[in-house]
Amino acid sequence: DQQVKQNSPSLSVQEGRISILNCDYTNSMFDYFLWYKKYPAEGPTFLISISSIKDKNEDGRFTVFLNKSAKHLSLHIVPSQPGDSAVYFCAASPFNSGGSNYKLTFGKGTLLTVNP
Amino acid sequence: ETGVTQTPRHLVMGMTNKKSLKCEQHLGHNAMYWYKQSAKKPLELMFVYSLEERVENNSVPSRFSPECPNSSHLFLHLHTLQPEDSALYLCASSQDPQANYGYTFGSGTRLTVV
């Protein structure tokens, strides 16, 4: 049973437009959410995160929105650039819950292609 | 270069071979992880080491054997693997067992079992 779901395997947008990547989760113990970006032949790199006490976190062109009641988060990239083309992974973790709080659960990823 | 180095980058091995994957970090992190990424599947956590002690083994078959000799090095010893074990193996580290600040990943080892 997948606890973190990224239902869109791929997304294609035009340069300059907004990219919206979605992620749903089922485990109500998740309290901290992260987005990772992965280029081919490289490991994932941390992009942005959000704690459940917030509903929005912004860092430059990247904004993550969290809707706890819907167990849904999204990553907005605006304006999108060709260099943003990569696989984006959503990940979730319990926060300070002890035991396995270090364990990140990942989604399958969404391949974003930004066309010039 | 992210600060986590994995070698080799690519490995092809037969089902009867024994090989090892190596991971090294000099970020001062004290937790290290092995993840497996198969096609069209989420990243799967295999092992977690915190302060050189194995704290999690996610029902990984015994043909995968991790070793953490110190906080900077992590190995994954491979023995009698199956073709379905072909995948990208990613090592990661973090500042402490809590992943709240995110992991730093290596570039991975692309393993092909023939």
Side-chain angles (χ1 to χ4, degrees), chain B residues 77-97:
Chain B
H77 303 299
L78 314 172
H79 177 49
T80 60
L81 295 192
Q82 305 298 312
E84 59 265 28
D85 296 322
S86 299
L88 180 67
Y89 289 84
L90 289 160
C91 172
S93 68
S94 66
Q95 180 63 30
D96 60 12

Side-chain angles (χ1 to χ4, degrees), chain B residues 39-114:
Chain B
K40 299 182 181 177
K41 286 180 138 184
L43 285 161
E44 299 171 62
L45 179 65
M46 299 176 72
F47 301 103
V48 181
Y49 276 82
S50 174
L51 298 171
E52 300 153 45
E53 298 270 341
R54 190 192 310 182
V55 296
E56 184 141 345
N57 174 346
N58 261 9
S59 304
V60 179
S62 59
R63 56 186 185 269
F64 294 91
S65 173
E67 179 190 1
C68 187
N70 54 62
S71 59
S72 298
H73 294 86
L74 184 66
F75 295 90
L76 187 63
H77 303 299
L78 314 172
H79 177 49
T80 60
L81 295 192
Q82 305 298 312
E84 59 265 28
D85 296 322
S86 299
L88 180 67
Y89 289 84
L90 289 160
C91 172
S93 68
S94 66
Q95 180 63 30
D96 60 12
Q98 296 180 15
N100 304 320
Y101 299 101
Y103 298 161
T104 301
F105 281 90
S107 298
T109 295
R110 173 68 62 185
L111 173 68
T112 304
V113 181
V114 297

Side-chain angles (χ1 to χ4, degrees), chain A residues 2 32 34 36 38 41-46 49 89 93-96 100-108, chain B residues 2 9 33 35 37 40-43 45 48 55-56 58 88 90 97-103 105-107:
Chain A
Q2 265 188 272
Y32 197 76
L34 307 93
Y36 282 81
K38 183 181 182 302
E42 293 183 17
T45 54
F46 172 72
S49 63
F89 291 98
S93 167
F95 184 88
N96 278 338
S100 60
N101 59 340
Y102 44 79
K103 190 164 65 177
L104 286 182
T105 301
F106 286 84
K108 289 184 180 180
Chain B
T2 65
R9 292 294 301 272
Y33 314 80
Y35 273 85
Q37 187 187 9
K40 299 182 181 177
K41 286 180 138 184
L43 285 161
L45 179 65
V48 181
V55 296
E56 184 141 345
N58 261 9
L88 180 67
L90 289 160
Q98 296 180 15
N100 304 320
Y101 299 101
Y103 298 161
F105 281 90
S107 298

